[in-house]
Structures are given as structure tokens and as C-alpha cells.
Amino acid sequence: MGFTDVELDQEWAISHMRSLTLATVLVGSLMFGISSLMAQRNYVTLGEFLFADPRRKQIVNDIPFFRSFWGPHLLATLLLTFLVSFNVTEVSVYELTDPDGLAGAWRLFRGLADANLELLPTAIVEVIETVFIAFLGTAIAIPISFFLSFICAKNIMIHPVAFFLYFTLRTILNVMRSVEPLIWAIIFTVWVGVGPFAGMLALMIHSIASLTKQYSEIVEGVAEGPIDGIRSTGANAIQVIWFAVVPQIVLPYIAFTIYRWDINVRMATVIGLVGGGGIGTLLIKYQGQAMWREVGCIIAVIAAVVWLMDTASAYIREALK
């Protein structure tokens, strides 16, 4: 009986888990041991420097540098982590310089440089569809995120019931945001079928979670003076938000929204790889057949659109300052 893919994945995970666990325990034990030894000799370790009690913080800061250990400790931790990462990622100069690999890369780059421009009209149509997917996904997400951002702002949701709502919603949105648009696109291609609708839904869901976080952090960063002033007049919560908070957040909201649209245009290309429509679907079609000249044409069109979007968004953000 042959092994299934799941069984092979489990074997691979178990074998790598052992090496990763061993490496992590080794680094942790070594650093903890050295830290404990130096702490016994009254040196300031990295942990004490970072997490010292506020009442002891000044004492820690006043200790002379030659009696501190946190600097070398930090460098040693970074160096050990770098070495372990080097091993975990299986960095190999031999594979990087392998003649067969270099020849394959040369064929690929030669094909990309010699783009087949006969595909240009089709690529332009697909990239226009990609821009519309990104636009609609962002446009639907904006009002939803605007509303949710006030519920997710800690400085507004101070009542116990409001704080519970804030905590619950923030947790849900964090989970939604941790799922990448590529995964959302896979979910929606199963749900509504392959095509631009699935791609738009994937971008919309992820945009709601991301924009709400960014918007709410803007709200949490507003000056408290205007809020206290409006509250002192006996205004209700809605009036406080409208007259004290909204005037402070309009410009940052617009700047973040434009930046999100810029991100979504690039992300719309990626979700097309899993059936989310747009030029990504065209890209995966020719990439799967190793038709590098056609892939070169598609990449050139994507690069041109990203450059145009980046330039336009930079001008708009500058105008809003």
C-alpha cells in the first residue's frame, strides 16, 4: 500500500519538528543559562532591561554600561537566531550555483525579456478587470470599516458592555485578518464559483478587517481635548464622535483608503492564481505551460499598472496633506 499525500506530509512535519524543537530548545537554554549566570553576578541582562518593573527601571538604567550585559546579550541572541534560521531554511550555495538550475533560470529570464506582445490586448483587458475587482472590493469595505472602526476604538468603548463588544469584535477581525486573501479566494471560489466575483469577495473581507484595524488605531490616536470639550457640553456619544472625532480622522482615513486600494490592485493579481479572476488567472495559465514569453508580456502589463497606481496614489496622498 502506497503512502498518501497526508501521510507523507505528516512524516515530513515530524522530522522537521524534531530539528526545529531541538534548535529552539538549544538557543533558549543557552541564552537562559548565560543570562542566569550573569544575573547572579549583578549584570543587567536583556530580559531585565526590557521587562524591569517601572519602579526598578530607573535603577536599571543608571547602572554603568560595563556592569550591563543586555547589549552583548541582544547581539548574541540575534546571531544565534540568524544561524538557526540559516539552517532551518536550508540555504545552499551549491543549489544556487548548480549549472542545470542556472540554465533553467537563464531560459526563463530570456523568455521574460522577449515578451510576446501578441498577447498584449488580452492582458490589458484582464488587467482592467483586475483593477475593477480591487476597486469594488475596497469601495464596499470602506463604509463597513468606517462604522466598525468606532466600535473597535478602545478610547470610545469605555463602558463595560461596550468594552466587551469592542473585545469580541476586535478578536473576530484579528482572525479574519490573519487569513490571507489567497485563502479567502479559495473559500469563495468553492462558495460562489471561479471568477472575478470570488476575487472581489476575498478582497472585500480582508479589506474590512485591515481597514477597520487601521481606522480604529487612528481613532485611538486622536487628541482627547476636543472630546472632553464636546462631552462637557452634555453631548451624547454620537455627537461626540461626529463633532470631536470625525474632524480629526478624515484626512488619515482617506490616505489609508488610497493605500489599501493600491494594495488590493496588487493583491488582485495574486488571488487570480487560485481562480479569483483578473490577470492572475491568465498568468497561472501560461506559467503552467512554461510559456515564458507570454508570462513576460503579462508581468510587463502588471508592472506598468502597479507603477501607475503607485504614482497616482503618491500624488493624491501628497495633495491631501
Side-chain angles (χ1 to χ4, degrees):
M1 182 183 297
F3 287 103
T4 65
D5 289 343
V6 174
E7 289 171 331
L8 289 174
D9 288 342
Q10 286 178 338
E11 284 192 3
W12 178 88
I14 291 170
S15 65
H16 279 69
M17 187 186 300
R18 289 172 184 159
S19 59
L20 285 174
T21 305
L22 181 62
T24 305
V25 170
L26 179 64
V27 171
S29 301
L30 185 60
M31 299 315 300
F32 181 76
I34 295 174
S35 179
S36 301
L37 182 64
M38 300 309 290
Q40 289 175 2
R41 299 186 178 187
N42 293 325
Y43 282 88
V44 179
T45 64
L46 180 60
E48 191 172 10
F49 178 76
L50 293 175
F51 306 112
D53 187 276
R55 291 168 296 184
R56 182 172 159 70
K57 192 72 175 179
Q58 189 59 43
I59 299 174
V60 171
N61 290 335
D62 291 342
I63 293 177
F65 179 76
F66 58 87
R67 296 292 299 171
S68 300
F69 179 64
W70 65 269
H73 192 181
L74 176 62
L75 291 177
T77 303
L78 291 175
L79 179 61
L80 269 176
T81 307
F82 179 82
L83 292 175
V84 171
S85 302
F86 207 80
N87 182 54
V88 169
T89 52
E90 301 177 359
V91 174
S92 170
V93 177
Y94 173 76
E95 291 184 7
L96 191 64
T97 56
D98 179 65
D100 292 337
L102 286 174
W106 172 246
R107 285 196 303 274
L108 191 153
F109 283 120
R110 195 171 54 186
L112 295 179
D114 185 24
N116 182 1
L117 297 182
E118 292 180 3
L119 191 65
L120 192 58
T122 307
I124 290 175
V125 170
E126 294 293 339
V127 85
I128 290 174
E129 183 182 88
T130 301
V131 172
F132 279 117
I133 291 171
F135 177 80
L136 190 59
T138 311
I140 296 176
I142 290 171
I144 300 173
S145 302
F146 180 83
F147 172 74
L148 294 179
S149 66
F150 296 104
I151 304 176
C152 291
K154 196 173 183 180
N155 58 336
I156 290 180
M157 307 296 280
I158 51 179
H159 188 274
V161 176
F163 182 81
F164 175 77
L165 181 61
Y166 150 84
F167 181 78
T168 305
L169 186 59
R170 193 93 182 203
T171 303
I172 293 172
L173 291 173
N174 281 339
V175 173
M176 288 171 57
R177 192 161 50 84
S178 67
V179 179
E180 287 296 313
L182 195 68
I183 307 300
W184 282 115
I186 293 173
I187 294 171
F188 283 113
T189 53
V190 174
W191 189 344
V192 301
V194 173
F197 184 41
M200 188 279 292
L201 290 172
L203 290 180
M204 182 195 70
I205 289 292
H206 198 265
S207 295
I208 288 173
S210 297
L211 280 177
T212 301
K213 178 181 186 301
Q214 291 171 327
Y215 287 172
S216 63
E217 288 178 353
I218 295 172
V219 174
E220 289 174 349
V222 298
E224 292 292 330
I227 297 176
D228 293 338
I230 297 295
R231 276 183 180 151
S232 66
T233 64
N236 59 36
I238 301 297
Q239 290 171 324
V240 169
I241 291 173
W242 184 252
F243 292 107
V245 177
V246 170
Q248 299 187 61
I249 62 175
V250 171
L251 291 182
Y253 264 42
I254 295 173
F256 271 119
T257 303
I258 294 171
Y259 183 56
R260 185 66 209 180
W261 183 39
D262 182 39
I263 292 174
N264 279 351
V265 170
R266 282 174 278 151
M267 195 59 68
T269 304
V270 177
I271 61 174
L273 301 178
V274 293
I279 200 166
T281 304
L282 196 66
L283 179 63
I284 195 67
K285 172 185 172 184
Y286 287 105
Q287 182 271 330
Q289 301 175 60
M291 298 172 69
W292 303 122
R293 293 188 62 218
E294 287 71 17
V295 171
C297 178
I298 295 169
I299 290 177
V301 171
I302 294 172
V305 170
V306 169
W307 178 79
L308 284 172
M309 289 292 305
D310 184 62
T311 304
S313 62
Y315 274 109
I316 294 172
R317 282 198 296 271
E318 186 69 25
L320 292 173
K321 285 183 179 178

